[in-house]
Amino acid sequence: MATMTSPTSPASVVGRRAQFRDLFASEWIKLFAQRSTYVLLALAVVIGVCGSWLSSGGVHLISASARAGYDQVSGSFSEGTFAFLTVGAGAMGAITMVSEYSSGLVRTTFIAVPDRRRIVVAKAAVITAVTAAAGLVAAAASFITAQSVLGPKHLGVSFGDPHVLQAFLASVALVPVSAVIGMCIGALIRIPVATFFVVFLAQSLLADAIPNNSSSKLLSTVSNAMPRNAWYGLVSQHTSYDNSGPFPPGALQCWVALLVWPLLAVLLTMVVVRRRDV
């Protein structure tokens, strides 16, 4: 008597894993087929080094009183540097969607894999892996460069000092978070120029749309939930130099914000690609 294979048998599970592995490899090839991918990855290192050198190199220009309250940790991960990195990461995430829609390749992709949600998951997995590696290199470059400048001025910190590891991990995480948000924007708009313009606005201006030093606790909470502000809440030691306002965010609040944003972005992208035709 023939034995039927259960849908949850090990053979079927292995099959599903192999299929997703192939899908992941396909999305990886698509991403690195774009020349802009290599440019953006190279810029991550350049921005990390140059931005950190420029920001930390001007410490000697601040007054003695301000220097006494200087945040050595946030000074090692310049806000301006990571503001540029979020724009670049968002653009890379947008490329994963926009390039396929603008070329028409997305039709072939959807025919080959009718379950569009799996495509979104594969794209998100690829862009997260690539930009997390870029974020790791950029954060390390930023920290090392800053210490080479701040150390001789007796303002340096070591990696083992309190708060430094948290700041480093947050700096690494911010890059893939921004990339996944960019992917979502690409799925929503699909037009290259308009997409990159919205990515720039979202990543560069959204963090400053609501002042985090507002006297209103509600406005401060909303502002601190923005991805870059949540990152800064983890990097900053909330000294007078940082000007975090009367309601500085807690570490848990900031980590939750950095986790929720990409999850919402992926879920919204799944809804969009299922409900909208190519």
Side-chain angles (χ1 to χ4, degrees):
M1 181 176 178
T3 303
M4 295 183 64
T5 303
S6 169
T8 58
S9 67
S12 64
V13 172
V14 171
R16 286 199 296 272
R17 287 177 181 171
Q19 289 173 8
F20 183 79
R21 184 167 60 247
D22 294 339
L23 189 55
F24 181 93
S26 173
E27 295 301 330
W28 183 279
I29 293 170
K30 290 177 188 176
L31 180 63
F32 282 95
Q34 305 289 330
R35 293 179 183 176
S36 53
T37 299
Y38 297 95
V39 174
L40 291 171
L41 289 176
L43 283 175
V45 181
V46 174
I47 291 172
V49 172
C50 295
S52 184
W53 181 79
L54 288 172
S55 62
S56 57
V59 172
H60 66 282
L61 299 176
I62 64 178
S63 64
S65 59
R67 187 170 177 171
Y70 180 72
D71 190 334
Q72 297 163 290
V73 178
S74 65
S76 302
F77 303 98
S78 167
E79 186 175 14
T81 298
F82 283 88
F84 277 109
L85 288 174
T86 57
V87 174
M92 183 180 289
I95 287 172
T96 62
M97 300 300 298
V98 172
S99 60
E100 285 204 64
Y101 279 108
S102 60
S103 65
L105 179 62
V106 71
R107 295 184 178 87
T108 304
T109 302
F110 287 162
I111 291 173
V113 186
D115 189 352
R116 301 181 181 185
R117 294 171 300 182
R118 297 184 69 228
I119 297 173
V120 172
V121 172
K123 286 182 181 294
V126 168
I127 196 64
T128 297
V130 172
T131 53
L136 178 63
V137 173
S142 176
F143 182 76
I144 293 170
T145 303
Q147 297 317 303
S148 68
V149 177
L150 296 174
K153 299 176 182 179
H154 308 289
L155 291 172
V157 291
S158 69
F159 202 78
D161 288 348
H163 201 78
V164 174
L165 179 59
Q166 172 180 281
F168 182 82
L169 294 177
S171 299
V172 174
L174 179 64
V175 181
V177 167
S178 302
V180 174
I181 293 173
M183 183 188 75
C184 180
I185 295 173
L188 287 169
I189 300 178
R190 304 183 181 186
I191 303 171
V193 174
T195 297
F196 295 131
F197 179 70
V198 173
V199 166
F200 172 77
L201 290 180
Q203 303 288 11
S204 62
L205 301 181
L206 187 59
D208 302 320
I210 304 174
N212 63 341
N213 58 357
S214 170
S215 58
S216 168
K217 187 174 182 178
L218 177 60
L219 290 179
S220 294
T221 301
V222 173
S223 176
N224 291 327
M226 297 297 105
R228 204 175 83 219
N229 291 345
W231 161 80
Y232 194 70
L234 292 167
V235 170
S236 168
Q237 297 187 88
H238 308 301
T239 65
S240 57
Y241 178 87
D242 293 329
N243 190 25
S244 299
F247 304 105
L252 179 60
Q253 174 187 346
C254 294
W255 282 119
V256 168
L258 289 178
L259 176 64
V260 168
W261 274 101
L263 289 177
L264 289 177
V266 170
L267 291 174
L268 181 57
T269 305
M270 287 182 177
V271 172
V272 169
V273 299
R274 288 190 67 194
R275 294 184 177 274
R276 286 180 59 185
D277 261 332
V278 297

